[in-house]
Amino acid sequence: DVKVTQSSRYLVKRTGEKVFLECVQDMDHENMFWYRQDPGLGLRLIYFSYDVKMKEKGDIPEGYSVSREKKERFSLILESASTNQTSMYLCASSDNRDRVYFGAGTRLSVL
Amino acid sequence: QKEVEQNSGPLSVPEGAIASLNCTYSDRVSQSFFWYRQYSGKSPELIMSIYSNGDKEDGRFTAQLNKASQYVSLLIRDSQPSDSATYLCAVRVGGGSEKLVFGKGTKLTVNP
């Protein structure tokens, strides 16, 4: 079974902190994604990566950056966390342009 | 216009009925369409994918695609209480892009 592992299920951070959300997949997938999910707004794509060191902006990249130094790991970085970044963050990966596998999610609260 | 739009719901059907979920998309060159199910507090999971016009059946689920109308739907026959979840329509936008865009989802409740 494909496994997408997010490093934390719950995180509480302070405004202005630099926050790292880590995601690891174990199936040698080319593509990895970061989404955030908010009530009434659905799943929104922040960034995605189709290869090591390659990244593309999604629909809401402002305030975020990403890093993909190794194929299996895709990190989401909040340079200076703000309260409007309080959300559920979902990492996902895919290979054959068909099935996308999601991690369990990280619920981030920024106080 | 948002790229992927779904009925806002919520949708409530009795057990055994047919649940019909609808989705429209704006990118005419999209070729890949998906339905995901998300239980409360869980991550989305893929239940159907469809690439060609027409119907695709998998057990109690039927996905329907009409590219001319830019419309994709999901029918759930003999609905069960365990089908109660939020259903997300997703579209891989653009001809060669990996970008997968989701609708806001429709919450389905199946009443025993």
Side-chain angles (χ1 to χ4, degrees):
Chain A
D1 274 354
V2 172
K3 199 163 186 182
V4 180
T5 303
Q6 295 184 231
S7 53
S8 306
R9 288 300 306 274
Y10 302 95
L11 271 180
V12 180
K13 296 292 181 182
R14 296 283 180 194
T15 302
E17 279 193 73
K18 190 169 186 176
V19 181
F20 293 86
L21 302 183
E22 307 286 347
C23 177
V24 177
Q25 50 96 359
D26 66 357
M27 284 300 290
D28 203 34
H29 284 173
E30 302 290 337
N31 308 309
M32 296 188 75
F33 308 82
W34 275 106
Y35 291 89
R36 63 178 282 179
Q37 188 170 32
D38 302 286
L41 297 177
L43 272 165
R44 293 180 292 167
L45 182 63
I46 305 172
Y47 268 97
F48 66 103
S49 168
Y50 51 89
D51 202 350
V52 175
K53 297 191 187 293
M54 305 301 287
K55 62 186 179 186
E56 283 198 31
K57 293 179 180 179
D59 297 316
I60 52 164
E62 296 78 19
Y64 303 95
S65 62
V66 290
S67 173
R68 192 157 180 212
E69 296 296 320
K70 293 185 178 182
K71 194 174 187 180
E72 67 270 19
R73 187 180 297 269
F74 192 36
S75 302
L76 180 69
I77 304 154
L78 286 66
E79 296 291 341
S80 178
S82 63
T83 54
N84 63 13
Q85 292 178 309
T86 291
S87 186
M88 171 67 84
Y89 289 87
L90 288 162
C91 175
S93 74
S94 74
D95 182 21
N96 60 6
R97 297 170 60 87
D98 189 344
R99 184 176 290 267
V100 173
Y101 296 87
F102 284 87
T106 297
R107 187 166 293 282
L108 173 66
S109 295
V110 182
L111 306 179
Chain B
Q1 183 188 1
K2 279 197 65 68
E3 290 180 283
V4 181
E5 296 206 52
Q6 296 183 244
N7 306 35
S8 57
L11 176 64
S12 182
V13 301
E15 185 173 355
I18 295 174
S20 177
L21 303 159
N22 304 314
C23 174
T24 57
Y25 60 94
S26 60
D27 186 0
R28 285 194 168 274
V29 301
S30 295
Q31 298 294 320
S32 307
F33 308 89
F34 310 90
W35 282 100
Y36 283 78
R37 177 176 62 200
Q38 186 175 24
Y39 291 114
S40 181
K42 300 291 187 183
S43 299
E45 56 178 337
L46 180 69
I47 53 172
M48 291 285 287
S49 58
I50 187 166
Y51 306 100
S52 304
N53 279 329
D55 294 0
K56 180 181 177 182
E57 190 173 313
D58 184 1
R60 295 185 295 111
F61 297 96
T62 299
Q64 300 174 316
L65 176 61
N66 183 325
K67 290 184 181 179
S69 300
Q70 295 175 242
Y71 176 90
V72 58
S73 66
L74 180 71
L75 299 178
I76 306 174
R77 291 183 301 282
D78 187 24
S79 295
Q80 301 296 308
S82 59
D83 294 326
S84 298
T86 297
Y87 289 81
L88 304 168
C89 173
V91 176
R92 197 177 300 281
V93 298
S97 171
E98 302 298 334
K99 183 179 176 183
L100 187 65
V101 179
F102 285 80
K104 291 182 181 180
T106 300
K107 185 172 183 179
L108 171 67
T109 300
V110 180
N111 301 303

